[in-house]
Amino acid sequence: MEIMDGKYYHGTIESKGETIEVTLPTQEDLDGTLRYFNTINQWQAGSTYALNTIINEEVMKYFAGDASLDETVDSIQSRASLWISEQS
């Protein structure tokens, strides 16, 4: 609310040597955004989430001393390839 009330408003911003005019969100903007958020019934991470999980799991095994670097790389490549093929 303080942004809409102008507390943090300076009217312009500087970007790459240019002055850009800034407009404040209105109550209507906020209400529309909240209506949109309330229609969302499922939040899902992007497709990289599964790949990040694979990498993290295998890297943790390496850091714990349970796998060599070569084993870790091979395992990541194998699991990632399998996951990608399952997405097709």
Side-chain angles (χ1 to χ4, degrees):
M1 293 306 233
E2 291 178 337
I3 291 173
M4 287 189 305
D5 292 339
K7 180 174 181 179
Y8 302 107
Y9 180 63
H10 299 290
T12 60
I13 60 170
E14 293 287 326
S15 177
K16 299 180 183 177
E18 285 189 49
T19 301
I20 300 170
E21 198 67 33
V22 178
T23 59
L24 295 174
T26 64
Q27 185 65 47
E28 183 180 344
D29 294 332
L30 176 61
D31 292 343
T33 301
L34 292 175
R35 273 193 308 277
Y36 172 72
F37 284 155
N38 288 328
T39 65
I40 299 171
N41 59 17
Q42 181 179 0
W43 292 91
Q44 184 173 341
S47 63
T48 60
Y49 179 78
L51 293 175
N52 286 336
T53 300
I54 291 169
I55 293 166
N56 287 337
E57 288 173 357
E58 297 303 326
V59 166
M60 287 302 131
K61 289 178 190 176
Y62 170 75
F63 287 138
D66 295 335
S68 70
L69 180 58
D70 289 336
E71 291 170 331
T72 301
V73 170
D74 289 343
S75 186
I76 290 171
Q77 288 177 335
S78 175
R79 289 182 62 193
S81 293
L82 179 62
W83 181 81
I84 290 168
S85 69
E86 289 173 347
Q87 304 310 303
S88 303

